[in-house]
């Protein structure tokens, strides 16, 4: 696993703002802006967005127009999305500490 | 929970499947007067039932396994016995008119979703009704049911829930309207499925079997028998939800606006193509194009013009189409193997009492689809209905299809229920009480008022 912390190319700040953009008929995108000097830092497109604080809502937004057939499978899938996201985040934080990138 | 019990269930299902398989190989059912092909088709039915009920493997894999067993095992046994049969009999159900019809529905759903037309429509309704929460719930139920008549129940419920969760969060934490709004969405998505042939797979499967019996209702005729049930059940569920979860808030606080006031030219074209398709479905008796043929029009146009891309094609719910195909393939296996004739000869069905039989099958289907997939339930029950040699098969099949849609008391009953439950806002009991009352009222109405109405419009 490689870990990068986004850093402003202009003022070297680690302090970033994420702006989530949803446009109909386009994949969601995030624009990253430096919180110190307002420089545009990065843009990326989302395929599997999950907002932990919003839980089910973001899961449902990413569900799209698909049909499904099993209530059992949906419940399993959702708890897997939440569980995986939490586990991966814990792993990332672990690595973060190990590499001494924590503030 | 650790994975151990799940793992055990899978092993158990596998063992049962293997035991059934060897029962067929060693012809243990010979004592019941079953010939070899009858036994093989019986065993394939048992294996399909075991796997669809337990979900030990994904539902669509079971469908493909049924095809595999049909193509290898039953076909071999039949040919050994000198029966001339082509394997296209088992392959055909996977790309029939009914599957095309659903494919068209999925493509329309994908286009409307991509251009956020479904969401925009829902926003407009909520904005218009947002001043009073009971009115807003009625609006949410109406638009959810309307959309799920044309789009998949799951996609509709997912979109509506994502839209309504912010509204729910804007209400005080102890306001019972939170639960009311949340429950109104899956219930009306399930109910809306009854309204059209493409509303939910059990309807289409019923139509396919009716076609085999030479009495398929047109798209419009299904709507005439389905839409009154949708409207009736929506009104009843509104009262049930209000009875259990009447809250205190007057209206929604936050501002709620349509996505846009002016549609892009593309979005307008998407709406136009969808409306034309629906119009052609409804006017089938005039132009005689089958609904499956009409369903190709949006597929050709949306992908041909580039409104939808290859990724959208890949994202269609092919698994659902395979599950339906497998069920219809099982039906072919049961009739080709002679299991239906064997059933007809042995079931003491009194031709006058098909009403009682319809009620029993409806209740059984409802019970099964409360605990498992609606499509899998229809896949298992409907071919058996066909094997009963009834004088009137249509009302029985429609009864089974409706009973599947009306089963909505548990989080696992339907995908919309599961989605609503995933929000963590409602308990099993919150869903069970109104859901069970709705199910019971729905079943009673289906086999009283519904039965009477179907007779009037000439279903039987
Ligand atoms: Zn900066």
């Amino acid at each position: 696993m490689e870990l990068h912390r986004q850093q402003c190319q202009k003022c070297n700040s680690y302090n970033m703002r994420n702006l989530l953009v949803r446009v109909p008929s386009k994949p969601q995108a995030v624009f990253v802006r430096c919180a110190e000097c307002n420089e545009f830092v990065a843009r990326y497109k989302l395929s599997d967005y999950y907002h932990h604080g919003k839980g089910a809502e973001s899961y449902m937004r990413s569900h799209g127009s698909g049909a499904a057939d099993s209530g059992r499978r949906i419940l399993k899938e959702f708890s897997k999305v939440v569980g995986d996201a939490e586990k991966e985040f814990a792993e990332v934080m672990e690595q973060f500490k190990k590499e001494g990138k924590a503030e | 929970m650790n994975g151990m019990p799940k793992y055990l269930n899978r092993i158990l299902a596998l063992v049962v499947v293997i035991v059934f398989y060897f029962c067929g190989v060693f012809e243990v059912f010979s004592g019941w007067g079953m010939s070899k092909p009858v036994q093989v088709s019986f065993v394939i039915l048992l294996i399909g039932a075991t796997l669809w009920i337990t979900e030990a493997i994904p539902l669509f894999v079971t469908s493909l396994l049924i095809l595999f067993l049909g193509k290898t095992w039953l076909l071999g046994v039949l040919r050994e016995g000198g029966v001339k049969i082509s394997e296209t009999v088992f392959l055909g159900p996977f790309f029939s008119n009914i599957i095309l019809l659903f494919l068209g529905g999925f493509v329309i759903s994908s286009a409307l979703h991509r251009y956020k037309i479904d969401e925009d429509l829902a926003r407009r309704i909520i904005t218009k009704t947002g001043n009073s929460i009971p009115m807003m719930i009625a609006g949410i139920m109406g638009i959810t049911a309307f959309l799920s008549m044309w789009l998949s129940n799951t996609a509709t419920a997912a979109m509506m829930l994502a839209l309504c969760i912010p509204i729910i969060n804007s209400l005080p934490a102890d306001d019972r309207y939170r639960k009311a709004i949340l429950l109104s969405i899956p219930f009306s998505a399930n109910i809306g499925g009854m309204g059209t042939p493409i509303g939910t797979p059990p309807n289409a499967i019923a139509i396919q079997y009716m076609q085999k019996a030479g009495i398929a209702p047109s798209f419009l005729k299904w709507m005439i028998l389905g839409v009154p049930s949708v409207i009736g059940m929506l009104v009843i569920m509104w009262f049930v939800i209000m009875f259990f979860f009447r809250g205190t808030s007057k209206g929604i606080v936050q501002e709620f606006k349509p996505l846009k006031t002016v549609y892009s030219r593309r979005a307008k074209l998407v709406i136009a193509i969808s409306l034309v398709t629906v119009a052609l479905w409804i006017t089938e008796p005039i132009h005689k194009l089958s609904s499956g043929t009409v369903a190709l029009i949006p597929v050709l146009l949306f992908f041909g013009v580039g409104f939808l891309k290859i990724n959208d094609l890949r994202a269609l719910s092919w698994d659902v189409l395979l599950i339906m195909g497998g069920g219809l393939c099982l039906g072919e296996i049961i009739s080709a193997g002679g299991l239906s004739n064997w059933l007809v000869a042995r079931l003491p069905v009194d031709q006058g009492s098909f009403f009682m039989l319809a009620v029993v099958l409806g209740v059984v289907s409802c019970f099964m689809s409360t605990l498992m997939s609606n499509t899998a339930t229809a896949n298992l029950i409907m071919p058996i209905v066909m094997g009963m040699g009834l004088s009137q098969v249509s009302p029985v099949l429609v009864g089974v299809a409706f009973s599947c849609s009306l089963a909505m008391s548990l989080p696992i009953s339907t995908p919309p229920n599961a989605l609503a439950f995933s929000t963590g806002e409602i308990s099993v009991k919150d869903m069970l009480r109104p859901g069970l009352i709705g199910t019971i009222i729905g079943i009673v109405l289906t086999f009283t008022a519904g039965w009477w109405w179907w007779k009037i419009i000439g279903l039987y």
Side-chain angles (χ1 to χ4, degrees):
Chain A
M1 184 163 72
E2 237 184 282
L3 197 64
H4 297 284
R5 249 179 109 190
Q6 273 176 334
Q7 187 176 22
C8 174
Q9 67 273 25
K10 197 171 165 196
C11 74
N12 293 332
S13 166
Y14 285 114
N15 200 355
M16 299 293 153
R17 291 254 185 289
N18 283 324
L19 305 167
L20 179 63
V21 184
R22 252 194 325 252
V23 179
S25 82
K26 283 195 184 139
Q28 295 182 39
V30 174
F31 289 85
V32 182
R33 197 183 68 162
C34 176
E36 305 295 338
C37 74
N38 289 345
E39 179 77 358
F40 168 43
V41 177
R43 184 217 67 187
Y44 50 97
K45 301 235 167 135
L46 302 174
S47 70
D48 193 17
Y49 181 69
Y50 168 73
H51 187 302
H52 193 52
K54 288 188 173 172
E57 189 198 349
S58 83
Y59 171 71
M60 279 158 209
R61 278 202 195 279
S62 58
H63 181 87
S65 64
D69 229 280
S70 161
R72 268 183 270 178
R73 214 187 74 203
I74 294 244
L75 287 178
K76 232 190 273 173
E77 263 174 20
F78 179 65
S79 63
K80 193 169 156 14
V81 167
V82 177
D84 284 358
E86 281 176 329
K87 204 176 113 231
E88 284 161 17
F89 181 68
E91 280 168 15
V92 168
M93 287 336 284
E94 185 75 11
Q95 179 101 356
F96 199 60
K97 242 189 248 158
K98 237 191 274 167
E99 293 187 10
K101 285 179 177 167
E103 279 154 307
Chain B
M1 282 252 288
N2 58 35
M4 203 49 200
K6 234 182 339 191
Y7 193 62
L8 267 177
N9 278 347
R10 283 184 149 193
I11 301 238
L12 209 64
L14 192 70
V15 169
V16 171
V17 164
I18 291 171
V19 168
F20 281 146
Y21 176 75
F22 281 107
C23 285
V25 170
F26 296 114
E27 303 185 41
V28 297
F29 301 116
S30 298
W32 296 355
M34 285 183 171
S35 67
K36 177 87 187 181
V38 173
Q39 294 199 44
V40 169
S41 49
F42 182 51
V43 164
I44 297 175
L45 170 67
L46 291 177
I47 290 175
T50 307
L51 294 175
W52 270 331
I53 292 169
T54 58
E55 288 184 37
I57 53 178
L59 295 168
F60 73 93
V61 183
T62 303
S63 281
L64 292 173
L65 177 65
I66 287 169
L67 174 65
F68 179 78
L69 292 173
K71 269 164 70 82
T72 55
W73 199 13
L74 181 61
L75 211 61
V77 168
L78 283 171
R79 283 179 178 160
E80 251 169 53
V83 180
K84 277 209 168 94
I85 180 168
S86 160
E87 66 177 355
T88 49
V89 173
F90 302 140
L91 287 169
F94 285 90
F95 214 77
S96 59
N97 266 321
I98 287 299
I99 302 292
L100 269 183
L101 176 64
F102 259 73
L103 182 64
F106 286 168
V107 168
I108 289 178
S109 179
S110 178
L112 292 180
H113 192 76
R114 193 153 193 226
Y115 292 89
K116 303 251 183 226
I117 294 160
D118 52 350
E119 186 179 333
D120 188 59
L121 197 62
R123 278 176 184 269
R124 283 163 196 270
I125 300 287
I126 294 172
T127 311
K128 281 219 166 64
T129 53
N131 294 330
S132 136
I133 294 205
M135 277 312 292
M136 188 183 73
I137 292 175
I140 289 173
M141 292 180 80
I143 190 67
T144 307
F146 174 75
L147 288 172
S148 85
M149 278 166 57
W150 309 100
L151 316 178
S152 94
N153 298 354
T154 317
T156 307
M159 185 276 292
M160 289 301 298
L161 284 166
L163 195 61
C164 290
I165 287 172
I167 299 178
I168 291 166
N169 289 336
S170 75
L171 298 175
D174 58 345
D175 193 340
R176 287 197 294 179
Y177 275 140
R178 293 168 72 105
K179 290 179 178 179
I181 297 171
L182 206 53
L183 283 168
S184 72
I185 293 169
F187 288 163
S188 36
N190 298 332
I191 290 168
M194 294 191 288
T196 64
I198 57 163
T200 180
N203 301 359
I205 297 166
I207 290 175
Q208 181 81 350
Y209 281 116
M210 283 187 237
Q211 248 162 30
K212 257 185 108 179
I215 32 158
S218 67
F219 201 100
L220 180 63
K221 189 154 184 185
W222 183 284
M223 288 185 70
I224 293 172
L225 65 97
V227 172
S229 313
V230 173
I231 295 170
M233 280 309 295
L234 283 182
V235 173
I236 289 164
M237 285 319 286
W238 184 85
F239 278 108
V240 172
I241 289 170
M242 283 301 142
F243 174 76
F244 281 109
F245 301 105
R246 182 173 277 282
T248 47
S249 295
K250 293 281 171 271
I252 48 171
V253 193
Q254 55 152 196
E255 211 174 332
F256 207 78
K257 279 190 176 142
L259 282 177
K260 50 201 160 193
T261 42
V262 185
Y263 280 118
S264 68
R265 190 163 4 131
R266 280 187 164 213
K268 279 182 192 157
L269 266 169
V270 168
I271 296 172
I273 292 169
S274 307
L275 288 177
V276 167
T277 308
V278 170
L280 287 172
W281 274 332
I282 292 173
T283 53
E284 185 191 323
I286 301 169
H287 53 68
K288 308 281 184 225
L289 287 175
S290 79
S291 49
T293 312
V294 170
L296 278 172
I297 294 171
V299 181
L300 290 170
L301 289 177
F302 286 141
F303 286 104
V305 177
F307 286 7
L308 292 175
K309 305 273 194 278
I310 186 86
N311 285 337
D312 300 303
L313 182 78
R314 291 185 184 129
L316 296 179
S317 308
W318 297 102
D319 56 330
V320 174
L321 299 183
L322 285 176
I323 298 168
M324 294 170 70
L328 297 168
C329 177
L330 181 63
E332 294 296 342
I333 285 172
I334 286 171
S335 82
L339 181 61
S340 38
N341 291 336
W342 181 88
L343 266 173
V344 172
R346 270 158 194 80
L347 280 180
V349 177
D350 173 12
Q351 291 306 332
S353 67
F354 71 96
F355 173 72
M356 273 322 291
L357 201 70
V359 173
V360 171
L361 287 165
V363 171
V364 169
S365 310
C366 185
F367 179 75
M368 281 173 71
S369 64
T370 297
L371 302 171
M372 57 185 270
S373 148
N374 292 0
T375 313
T377 303
N379 279 349
L380 289 169
I381 299 284
M382 288 185 187
I384 294 172
V385 172
M386 293 304 283
M388 288 180 165
L390 296 168
S391 56
Q392 295 289 353
V393 77
S394 295
V396 183
L397 290 172
V398 174
V400 169
F402 280 17
S403 302
C404 289
S405 286
L406 289 166
M408 52 188 176
S409 49
L410 294 176
I412 57 161
S413 296
T414 66
N417 283 20
L419 288 174
F421 188 72
S422 298
T423 60
E425 188 79 27
I426 43 175
S427 67
V428 175
K429 202 173 128 202
D430 289 335
M431 184 173 271
L432 182 65
R433 287 182 304 174
L436 196 61
I437 290 173
T439 300
I440 292 169
I441 295 176
I443 296 286
V444 169
L445 283 179
T446 298
F447 291 105
T448 51
W451 196 264
W452 165 83
W453 175 241
W454 304 342
K455 175 104 187 167
I456 289 185
I457 61 167
L459 181 70
Y460 65 101

